[in-house]
PDB file of all heavy atoms in Angstrom:
ATOM      1  N   MET A  12      10.006 -11.977 -19.749  1.00  0.00           N
ATOM      2  CA  MET A  12       9.093 -11.703 -18.573  1.00  0.00           C
ATOM      3  C   MET A  12       8.373 -13.003 -18.186  1.00  0.00           C
ATOM      4  O   MET A  12       7.915 -13.666 -19.035  1.00  0.00           O
ATOM      5  CB  MET A  12       8.066 -10.623 -18.962  1.00  0.00           C
ATOM      6  CG  MET A  12       7.255 -10.123 -17.797  1.00  0.00           C
ATOM      7  SD  MET A  12       6.485  -8.615 -18.039  1.00  0.00           S
ATOM      8  CE  MET A  12       5.237  -9.048 -19.206  1.00  0.00           C
ATOM      9  N   SER A  13       8.419 -13.318 -16.907  1.00  0.00           N
ATOM     10  CA  SER A  13       7.751 -14.478 -16.462  1.00  0.00           C
ATOM     11  C   SER A  13       6.658 -14.195 -15.454  1.00  0.00           C
ATOM     12  O   SER A  13       6.655 -13.145 -14.826  1.00  0.00           O
ATOM     13  CB  SER A  13       8.817 -15.483 -15.866  1.00  0.00           C
ATOM     14  OG  SER A  13       9.371 -14.898 -14.646  1.00  0.00           O
ATOM     15  N   PHE A  14       5.850 -15.252 -15.175  1.00  0.00           N
ATOM     16  CA  PHE A  14       4.791 -15.047 -14.217  1.00  0.00           C
ATOM     17  C   PHE A  14       5.358 -14.908 -12.836  1.00  0.00           C
ATOM     18  O   PHE A  14       4.910 -14.237 -11.982  1.00  0.00           O
ATOM     19  CB  PHE A  14       3.739 -16.116 -14.311  1.00  0.00           C
ATOM     20  CG  PHE A  14       2.899 -16.118 -15.524  1.00  0.00           C
ATOM     21  CD1 PHE A  14       3.072 -17.097 -16.507  1.00  0.00           C
ATOM     22  CD2 PHE A  14       2.019 -15.138 -15.706  1.00  0.00           C
ATOM     23  CE1 PHE A  14       2.203 -17.057 -17.652  1.00  0.00           C
ATOM     24  CE2 PHE A  14       1.197 -15.078 -16.833  1.00  0.00           C
ATOM     25  CZ  PHE A  14       1.327 -15.994 -17.749  1.00  0.00           C
ATOM     26  N   ALA A  15       6.530 -15.654 -12.626  1.00  0.00           N
ATOM     27  CA  ALA A  15       7.119 -15.497 -11.305  1.00  0.00           C
ATOM     28  C   ALA A  15       7.661 -14.077 -10.998  1.00  0.00           C
ATOM     29  O   ALA A  15       7.485 -13.627  -9.917  1.00  0.00           O
ATOM     30  CB  ALA A  15       8.293 -16.565 -11.201  1.00  0.00           C
ATOM     31  N   GLY A  16       8.242 -13.442 -12.047  1.00  0.00           N
ATOM     32  CA  GLY A  16       8.689 -12.146 -11.874  1.00  0.00           C
ATOM     33  C   GLY A  16       7.611 -11.188 -11.629  1.00  0.00           C
ATOM     34  O   GLY A  16       7.717 -10.261 -10.838  1.00  0.00           O
ATOM     35  N   VAL A  17       6.479 -11.299 -12.329  1.00  0.00           N
ATOM     36  CA  VAL A  17       5.376 -10.398 -12.194  1.00  0.00           C
ATOM     37  C   VAL A  17       4.784 -10.652 -10.807  1.00  0.00           C
ATOM     38  O   VAL A  17       4.411  -9.685 -10.177  1.00  0.00           O
ATOM     39  CB  VAL A  17       4.321 -10.701 -13.341  1.00  0.00           C
ATOM     40  CG1 VAL A  17       2.969  -9.987 -13.025  1.00  0.00           C
ATOM     41  CG2 VAL A  17       4.845 -10.367 -14.712  1.00  0.00           C
ATOM     42  N   GLY A  18       4.690 -11.973 -10.311  1.00  0.00           N
ATOM     43  CA  GLY A  18       4.181 -12.264  -9.127  1.00  0.00           C
ATOM     44  C   GLY A  18       5.055 -11.596  -7.946  1.00  0.00           C
ATOM     45  O   GLY A  18       4.547 -11.042  -6.961  1.00  0.00           O
ATOM     46  N   ASN A  19       6.274 -11.741  -8.118  1.00  0.00           N
ATOM     47  CA  ASN A  19       7.280 -11.143  -7.082  1.00  0.00           C
ATOM     48  C   ASN A  19       7.149  -9.628  -7.115  1.00  0.00           C
ATOM     49  O   ASN A  19       7.134  -9.008  -6.002  1.00  0.00           O
ATOM     50  CB  ASN A  19       8.781 -11.476  -7.481  1.00  0.00           C
ATOM     51  CG  ASN A  19       8.941 -12.925  -7.188  1.00  0.00           C
ATOM     52  OD1 ASN A  19       8.324 -13.627  -6.378  1.00  0.00           O
ATOM     53  ND2 ASN A  19      10.087 -13.455  -7.830  1.00  0.00           N
ATOM     54  N   ALA A  20       6.865  -8.977  -8.278  1.00  0.00           N
ATOM     55  CA  ALA A  20       6.735  -7.496  -8.217  1.00  0.00           C
ATOM     56  C   ALA A  20       5.449  -7.177  -7.547  1.00  0.00           C
ATOM     57  O   ALA A  20       5.380  -6.272  -6.770  1.00  0.00           O
ATOM     58  CB  ALA A  20       6.733  -6.957  -9.657  1.00  0.00           C
ATOM     59  N   ALA A  21       4.405  -8.007  -7.880  1.00  0.00           N
ATOM     60  CA  ALA A  21       3.038  -7.649  -7.039  1.00  0.00           C
ATOM     61  C   ALA A  21       3.160  -7.815  -5.693  1.00  0.00           C
ATOM     62  O   ALA A  21       2.587  -7.074  -4.915  1.00  0.00           O
ATOM     63  CB  ALA A  21       1.988  -8.530  -7.846  1.00  0.00           C
ATOM     64  N   VAL A  22       3.819  -8.831  -5.187  1.00  0.00           N
ATOM     65  CA  VAL A  22       3.995  -9.162  -3.767  1.00  0.00           C
ATOM     66  C   VAL A  22       4.772  -8.081  -3.098  1.00  0.00           C
ATOM     67  O   VAL A  22       4.486  -7.576  -1.971  1.00  0.00           O
ATOM     68  CB  VAL A  22       4.552 -10.528  -3.502  1.00  0.00           C
ATOM     69  CG1 VAL A  22       4.903 -10.750  -2.062  1.00  0.00           C
ATOM     70  CG2 VAL A  22       3.512 -11.598  -3.925  1.00  0.00           C
ATOM     71  N   GLY A  23       5.814  -7.608  -3.774  1.00  0.00           N
ATOM     72  CA  GLY A  23       6.697  -6.521  -3.153  1.00  0.00           C
ATOM     73  C   GLY A  23       5.865  -5.212  -3.099  1.00  0.00           C
ATOM     74  O   GLY A  23       6.025  -4.483  -2.099  1.00  0.00           O
ATOM     75  N   ALA A  24       5.074  -4.900  -4.127  1.00  0.00           N
ATOM     76  CA  ALA A  24       4.252  -3.687  -4.044  1.00  0.00           C
ATOM     77  C   ALA A  24       3.234  -3.880  -2.948  1.00  0.00           C
ATOM     78  O   ALA A  24       2.923  -2.746  -2.170  1.00  0.00           O
ATOM     79  CB  ALA A  24       3.565  -3.438  -5.434  1.00  0.00           C
ATOM     80  N   LEU A  25       2.614  -4.960  -2.826  1.00  0.00           N
ATOM     81  CA  LEU A  25       1.616  -5.122  -1.813  1.00  0.00           C
ATOM     82  C   LEU A  25       2.217  -4.945  -0.390  1.00  0.00           C
ATOM     83  O   LEU A  25       1.685  -4.400   0.483  1.00  0.00           O
ATOM     84  CB  LEU A  25       0.953  -6.578  -1.875  1.00  0.00           C
ATOM     85  CG  LEU A  25      -0.084  -6.946  -0.930  1.00  0.00           C
ATOM     86  CD1 LEU A  25      -1.318  -6.055  -1.098  1.00  0.00           C
ATOM     87  CD2 LEU A  25      -0.542  -8.297  -1.118  1.00  0.00           C
ATOM     88  N   ALA A  26       3.498  -5.615  -0.265  1.00  0.00           N
ATOM     89  CA  ALA A  26       4.133  -5.450   1.080  1.00  0.00           C
ATOM     90  C   ALA A  26       4.464  -4.007   1.413  1.00  0.00           C
ATOM     91  O   ALA A  26       4.284  -3.604   2.597  1.00  0.00           O
ATOM     92  CB  ALA A  26       5.378  -6.307   1.100  1.00  0.00           C
ATOM     93  N   VAL A  27       4.894  -3.206   0.436  1.00  0.00           N
ATOM     94  CA  VAL A  27       5.227  -1.859   0.758  1.00  0.00           C
ATOM     95  C   VAL A  27       3.983  -1.037   1.054  1.00  0.00           C
ATOM     96  O   VAL A  27       3.955  -0.305   1.972  1.00  0.00           O
ATOM     97  CB  VAL A  27       5.940  -1.289  -0.526  1.00  0.00           C
ATOM     98  CG1 VAL A  27       5.987   0.284  -0.439  1.00  0.00           C
ATOM     99  CG2 VAL A  27       7.281  -1.737  -0.659  1.00  0.00           C
ATOM    100  N   ASN A  28       2.809  -1.279   0.347  1.00  0.00           N
ATOM    101  CA  ASN A  28       1.626  -0.580   0.713  1.00  0.00           C
ATOM    102  C   ASN A  28       1.128  -0.974   2.009  1.00  0.00           C
ATOM    103  O   ASN A  28       0.555  -0.150   2.741  1.00  0.00           O
ATOM    104  CB  ASN A  28       0.558  -0.942  -0.465  1.00  0.00           C
ATOM    105  CG  ASN A  28       0.825  -0.211  -1.687  1.00  0.00           C
ATOM    106  OD1 ASN A  28       1.480   0.714  -1.686  1.00  0.00           O
ATOM    107  ND2 ASN A  28       0.236  -0.731  -2.776  1.00  0.00           N
ATOM    108  N   LEU A  29       1.172  -2.245   2.410  1.00  0.00           N
ATOM    109  CA  LEU A  29       0.730  -2.620   3.673  1.00  0.00           C
ATOM    110  C   LEU A  29       1.617  -2.121   4.845  1.00  0.00           C
ATOM    111  O   LEU A  29       1.055  -1.553   5.879  1.00  0.00           O
ATOM    112  CB  LEU A  29       0.802  -4.288   3.789  1.00  0.00           C
ATOM    113  CG  LEU A  29       0.336  -4.899   5.114  1.00  0.00           C
ATOM    114  CD1 LEU A  29      -1.110  -4.606   5.253  1.00  0.00           C
ATOM    115  CD2 LEU A  29       0.664  -6.342   5.034  1.00  0.00           C
ATOM    116  N   ALA A  30       2.898  -2.051   4.635  1.00  0.00           N
ATOM    117  CA  ALA A  30       3.764  -1.494   5.685  1.00  0.00           C
ATOM    118  C   ALA A  30       3.450   0.017   5.798  1.00  0.00           C
ATOM    119  O   ALA A  30       3.494   0.550   6.939  1.00  0.00           O
ATOM    120  CB  ALA A  30       5.292  -1.695   5.250  1.00  0.00           C
ATOM    121  N   THR A  31       3.225   0.686   4.651  1.00  0.00           N
ATOM    122  CA  THR A  31       2.893   2.114   4.718  1.00  0.00           C
ATOM    123  C   THR A  31       1.599   2.442   5.476  1.00  0.00           C
ATOM    124  O   THR A  31       1.608   3.227   6.276  1.00  0.00           O
ATOM    125  CB  THR A  31       2.796   2.707   3.300  1.00  0.00           C
ATOM    126  OG1 THR A  31       4.033   2.437   2.651  1.00  0.00           O
ATOM    127  CG2 THR A  31       2.609   4.177   3.276  1.00  0.00           C
ATOM    128  N   ASN A  32       0.677   1.560   5.172  1.00  0.00           N
ATOM    129  CA  ASN A  32      -0.607   1.716   5.854  1.00  0.00           C
ATOM    130  C   ASN A  32      -0.549   1.487   7.339  1.00  0.00           C
ATOM    131  O   ASN A  32      -1.223   2.115   8.168  1.00  0.00           O
ATOM    132  CB  ASN A  32      -1.700   0.923   5.257  1.00  0.00           C
ATOM    133  CG  ASN A  32      -2.206   1.396   3.887  1.00  0.00           C
ATOM    134  OD1 ASN A  32      -2.152   2.586   3.688  1.00  0.00           O
ATOM    135  ND2 ASN A  32      -2.618   0.558   3.084  1.00  0.00           N
ATOM    136  N   LEU A  33       0.278   0.455   7.766  1.00  0.00           N
ATOM    137  CA  LEU A  33       0.288   0.138   9.173  1.00  0.00           C
ATOM    138  C   LEU A  33       1.215   1.089   9.909  1.00  0.00           C
ATOM    139  O   LEU A  33       0.881   1.359  11.118  1.00  0.00           O
ATOM    140  CB  LEU A  33       0.986  -1.363   9.328  1.00  0.00           C
ATOM    141  CG  LEU A  33       0.155  -2.462   8.908  1.00  0.00           C
ATOM    142  CD1 LEU A  33       0.938  -3.828   8.967  1.00  0.00           C
ATOM    143  CD2 LEU A  33      -1.129  -2.562   9.672  1.00  0.00           C
ATOM    144  N   LEU A  34       2.150   1.719   9.302  1.00  0.00           N
ATOM    145  CA  LEU A  34       3.128   2.540  10.044  1.00  0.00           C
ATOM    146  C   LEU A  34       2.800   4.091   9.898  1.00  0.00           C
ATOM    147  O   LEU A  34       3.296   4.950  10.638  1.00  0.00           O
ATOM    148  CB  LEU A  34       4.531   2.434   9.512  1.00  0.00           C
ATOM    149  CG  LEU A  34       5.034   1.002   9.672  1.00  0.00           C
ATOM    150  CD1 LEU A  34       6.422   0.847   9.041  1.00  0.00           C
ATOM    151  CD2 LEU A  34       5.179   0.711  11.158  1.00  0.00           C
ATOM    152  N   THR A  35       1.718   4.480   9.073  1.00  0.00           N
ATOM    153  CA  THR A  35       1.393   5.821   9.003  1.00  0.00           C
ATOM    154  C   THR A  35       0.241   6.080   9.796  1.00  0.00           C
ATOM    155  O   THR A  35      -0.762   5.381   9.921  1.00  0.00           O
ATOM    156  CB  THR A  35       0.967   6.179   7.526  1.00  0.00           C
ATOM    157  OG1 THR A  35       1.962   5.806   6.663  1.00  0.00           O
ATOM    158  CG2 THR A  35       0.647   7.584   7.267  1.00  0.00           C
ATOM    159  N   LYS A  36       0.311   7.281  10.733  1.00  0.00           N
ATOM    160  CA  LYS A  36      -0.767   7.659  11.566  1.00  0.00           C
ATOM    161  C   LYS A  36      -1.960   8.111  10.703  1.00  0.00           C
ATOM    162  O   LYS A  36      -1.796   8.531   9.625  1.00  0.00           O
ATOM    163  CB  LYS A  36      -0.366   8.770  12.459  1.00  0.00           C
ATOM    164  CG  LYS A  36       0.690   8.369  13.416  1.00  0.00           C
ATOM    165  CD  LYS A  36       1.080   9.588  14.328  1.00  0.00           C
ATOM    166  CE  LYS A  36       2.255   9.214  15.177  1.00  0.00           C
ATOM    167  NZ  LYS A  36       2.638  10.394  15.946  1.00  0.00           N
ATOM    168  N   GLU A  37      -3.190   7.829  11.359  1.00  0.00           N
ATOM    169  CA  GLU A  37      -4.343   8.198  10.649  1.00  0.00           C
ATOM    170  C   GLU A  37      -4.479   9.605  10.194  1.00  0.00           C
ATOM    171  O   GLU A  37      -4.894   9.917   9.077  1.00  0.00           O
ATOM    172  CB  GLU A  37      -5.609   7.824  11.566  1.00  0.00           C
ATOM    173  CG  GLU A  37      -6.963   7.832  10.760  1.00  0.00           C
ATOM    174  CD  GLU A  37      -6.982   6.714   9.740  1.00  0.00           C
ATOM    175  OE1 GLU A  37      -6.455   5.657   9.956  1.00  0.00           O
ATOM    176  OE2 GLU A  37      -7.679   7.023   8.639  1.00  0.00           O
ATOM    177  N   GLU A  38      -3.991  10.554  10.975  1.00  0.00           N
ATOM    178  CA  GLU A  38      -4.038  11.920  10.582  1.00  0.00           C
ATOM    179  C   GLU A  38      -3.073  12.340   9.551  1.00  0.00           C
ATOM    180  O   GLU A  38      -3.153  13.420   8.945  1.00  0.00           O
ATOM    181  CB  GLU A  38      -3.882  12.837  11.892  1.00  0.00           C
ATOM    182  CG  GLU A  38      -2.634  12.795  12.586  1.00  0.00           C
ATOM    183  CD  GLU A  38      -2.555  11.710  13.785  1.00  0.00           C
ATOM    184  OE1 GLU A  38      -3.545  10.979  13.935  1.00  0.00           O
ATOM    185  OE2 GLU A  38      -1.561  11.661  14.463  1.00  0.00           O
ATOM    186  N   ASN A  39      -2.098  11.500   9.281  1.00  0.00           N
ATOM    187  CA  ASN A  39      -1.124  11.840   8.299  1.00  0.00           C
ATOM    188  C   ASN A  39      -1.439  11.136   6.937  1.00  0.00           C
ATOM    189  O   ASN A  39      -0.689  11.396   5.887  1.00  0.00           O
ATOM    190  CB  ASN A  39       0.336  11.353   8.718  1.00  0.00           C
ATOM    191  CG  ASN A  39       0.870  12.184   9.889  1.00  0.00           C
ATOM    192  OD1 ASN A  39       0.383  13.358  10.069  1.00  0.00           O
ATOM    193  ND2 ASN A  39       1.685  11.707  10.693  1.00  0.00           N
ATOM    194  N   LYS A  40      -2.430  10.367   6.880  1.00  0.00           N
ATOM    195  CA  LYS A  40      -2.819   9.663   5.689  1.00  0.00           C
ATOM    196  C   LYS A  40      -3.422  10.726   4.687  1.00  0.00           C
ATOM    197  O   LYS A  40      -4.038  11.606   5.128  1.00  0.00           O
ATOM    198  CB  LYS A  40      -3.653   8.496   5.921  1.00  0.00           C
ATOM    199  CG  LYS A  40      -2.990   7.403   6.641  1.00  0.00           C
ATOM    200  CD  LYS A  40      -3.990   6.188   6.747  1.00  0.00           C
ATOM    201  CE  LYS A  40      -3.262   5.077   7.409  1.00  0.00           C
ATOM    202  NZ  LYS A  40      -4.059   3.862   7.644  1.00  0.00           N
ATOM    203  N   PRO A  41      -3.300  10.516   3.450  1.00  0.00           N
ATOM    204  CA  PRO A  41      -3.873  11.413   2.428  1.00  0.00           C
ATOM    205  C   PRO A  41      -5.442  11.302   2.449  1.00  0.00           C
ATOM    206  O   PRO A  41      -5.968  10.302   2.693  1.00  0.00           O
ATOM    207  CB  PRO A  41      -3.425  11.087   1.120  1.00  0.00           C
ATOM    208  CG  PRO A  41      -2.876   9.707   1.265  1.00  0.00           C
ATOM    209  CD  PRO A  41      -2.460   9.525   2.685  1.00  0.00           C
ATOM    210  N   ALA A  42      -6.118  12.416   2.150  1.00  0.00           N
ATOM    211  CA  ALA A  42      -7.586  12.464   2.007  1.00  0.00           C
ATOM    212  C   ALA A  42      -8.081  11.680   0.794  1.00  0.00           C
ATOM    213  O   ALA A  42      -7.444  11.918  -0.225  1.00  0.00           O
ATOM    214  CB  ALA A  42      -8.114  13.912   2.077  1.00  0.00           C
ATOM    215  N   THR A  43      -9.053  11.057   1.053  1.00  0.00           N
ATOM    216  CA  THR A  43      -9.750  10.237  -0.132  1.00  0.00           C
ATOM    217  C   THR A  43     -11.007  11.211  -0.686  1.00  0.00           C
ATOM    218  O   THR A  43     -11.327  12.137   0.012  1.00  0.00           O
ATOM    219  CB  THR A  43     -10.272   8.898   0.286  1.00  0.00           C
ATOM    220  OG1 THR A  43     -11.182   9.064   1.345  1.00  0.00           O
ATOM    221  CG2 THR A  43      -9.061   8.059   0.752  1.00  0.00           C
ATOM    222  N   LYS A  44     -11.577  10.717  -1.688  1.00  0.00           N
ATOM    223  CA  LYS A  44     -12.760  11.452  -2.212  1.00  0.00           C
ATOM    224  C   LYS A  44     -13.858  11.208  -1.236  1.00  0.00           C
ATOM    225  O   LYS A  44     -14.650  12.260  -1.018  1.00  0.00           O
ATOM    226  CB  LYS A  44     -13.150  10.757  -3.572  1.00  0.00           C
ATOM    227  CG  LYS A  44     -12.232  11.162  -4.755  1.00  0.00           C
ATOM    228  CD  LYS A  44     -12.814  10.620  -6.003  1.00  0.00           C
ATOM    229  CE  LYS A  44     -11.833  10.931  -7.122  1.00  0.00           C
ATOM    230  NZ  LYS A  44     -12.225  10.426  -8.383  1.00  0.00           N
ATOM    231  N   LYS A  45     -13.902  10.185  -0.565  1.00  0.00           N
ATOM    232  CA  LYS A  45     -15.041   9.961   0.403  1.00  0.00           C
ATOM    233  C   LYS A  45     -14.865  10.961   1.653  1.00  0.00           C
ATOM    234  O   LYS A  45     -15.884  11.583   2.123  1.00  0.00           O
ATOM    235  CB  LYS A  45     -15.008   8.504   0.997  1.00  0.00           C
ATOM    236  CG  LYS A  45     -16.138   8.234   2.036  1.00  0.00           C
ATOM    237  CD  LYS A  45     -16.044   6.767   2.356  1.00  0.00           C
ATOM    238  CE  LYS A  45     -17.124   6.592   3.451  1.00  0.00           C
ATOM    239  NZ  LYS A  45     -17.043   5.209   3.923  1.00  0.00           N
ATOM    240  N   ASP A  46     -13.541  11.193   2.072  1.00  0.00           N
ATOM    241  CA  ASP A  46     -13.321  12.091   3.111  1.00  0.00           C
ATOM    242  C   ASP A  46     -13.677  13.511   2.736  1.00  0.00           C
ATOM    243  O   ASP A  46     -14.271  14.309   3.573  1.00  0.00           O
ATOM    244  CB  ASP A  46     -11.814  12.023   3.569  1.00  0.00           C
ATOM    245  CG  ASP A  46     -11.369  10.663   4.118  1.00  0.00           C
ATOM    246  OD1 ASP A  46     -12.299  10.018   4.617  1.00  0.00           O
ATOM    247  OD2 ASP A  46     -10.256  10.455   3.997  1.00  0.00           O
TER     248      ASP A  46
END
């Protein structure tokens, strides 16, 4: 296991979360505890 591999995995997960947040409509997002 290397830091580069861990970094690549973190960047990939961040990219997926960002794309999901940008492409999901507000009414289809899951409710949070604050909501």
Side-chain angles (χ1 to χ4, degrees):
M12 192 162 70
S13 65
F14 288 112
V17 172
N19 288 340
V22 169
L25 182 65
V27 168
N28 288 338
L29 182 65
T31 303
N32 285 335
L33 290 176
L34 298 175
T35 304
K36 293 181 182 177
E37 192 65 34
E38 62 266 10
N39 292 336
K40 289 185 180 178
T43 62
K44 288 183 179 179
K45 182 179 177 184
D46 296 335

